[in-house]
Amino acid sequence: MKQKDIENLINSYHWMVKEVQRLQRVLYGSTIPMKNWGIAKYGLEAAMPKGSLGKSQDELRQMDMREERLFKRLKYYEERVYAVELGAEKIKGEQHKVIYNCKMEGMSYRAIGLPLAFQGTVRKMKDELISQLCQDCHF
């Protein structure tokens, strides 16, 4: 992924999370916690039978076109939101982490820099953290 694509993904995170929650309410009747979006379980928890939070194959076949389209869009946004969340764990340096989290919330450079007293360097630090992500191939 290119640096510009990663930057756009981070900047879009705040509205994509809201869209995921909205789509989950429409399709499932409630929201599903992010930790249950397909993470593998280990130990006894992995061996125990459990119902699926997603749609079964029979349910997917019976969906009407609108639900199917919403389901595909939900999966698309869930993948991107999850990737941004994983990227947040890979950032090194406290100031970089603060900038990353603020950008995830949709804050502008000015809004990030003024209270943190490093206004002039926010863009430079943002470029550095995106370079970190590109070099580590987390997206």
Side-chain angles (χ1 to χ4, degrees):
M1 236 182 175
K2 296 179 183 176
Q3 287 188 355
K4 193 67 175 166
D5 295 334
I6 293 173
E7 183 177 352
N8 288 337
L9 193 59
I10 295 166
N11 290 336
S12 301
Y13 172 84
H14 69 284
W15 68 263
M16 284 193 295
V17 168
K18 292 176 185 175
E19 181 64 3
V20 164
Q21 292 169 347
R22 185 188 75 80
L23 291 170
Q24 287 175 342
R25 280 192 303 274
V26 168
L27 292 169
Y28 305 126
S30 64
T31 59
I32 299 171
M34 189 181 303
K35 66 181 179 179
N36 294 337
W37 288 0
I39 302 299
K41 304 246 190 297
Y42 299 96
L44 290 176
E45 206 174 303
M48 302 303 284
K50 56 198 139 299
S52 172
L53 292 174
K55 300 276 188 185
S56 69
Q57 287 299 321
D58 288 336
E59 288 174 315
L60 288 173
R61 275 187 235 108
Q62 294 172 0
M63 284 181 164
D64 64 15
M65 289 175 53
R66 179 180 180 274
E67 284 180 316
E68 192 172 330
R69 184 173 31 86
L70 292 177
F71 185 74
K72 286 178 184 175
R73 201 164 82 216
L74 172 64
K75 293 302 169 196
Y76 175 83
Y77 288 136
E78 280 180 344
E79 289 172 3
R80 277 137 188 85
V81 166
Y82 193 68
V84 173
E85 286 288 335
L86 285 179
E89 296 174 4
K90 307 298 181 189
I91 300 296
K92 298 174 183 106
E94 288 303 312
Q95 290 181 334
H96 288 112
K97 289 178 183 180
V98 169
I99 291 171
Y100 190 85
N101 288 326
C102 289
K103 291 304 289 177
M104 285 172 57
E105 294 172 15
M107 294 175 66
S108 68
Y109 294 116
R110 185 177 302 235
I112 296 169
L114 286 175
L116 300 177
F118 49 84
Q119 182 177 358
T121 60
V122 172
R123 279 184 204 265
K124 181 179 166 222
M125 292 174 75
K126 185 260 317 166
D127 290 339
E128 290 170 1
L129 70 90
I130 290 180
S131 290
Q132 277 181 27
L133 292 173
C134 284
Q135 289 171 358
D136 294 341
C137 296
H138 293 297
F139 281 84

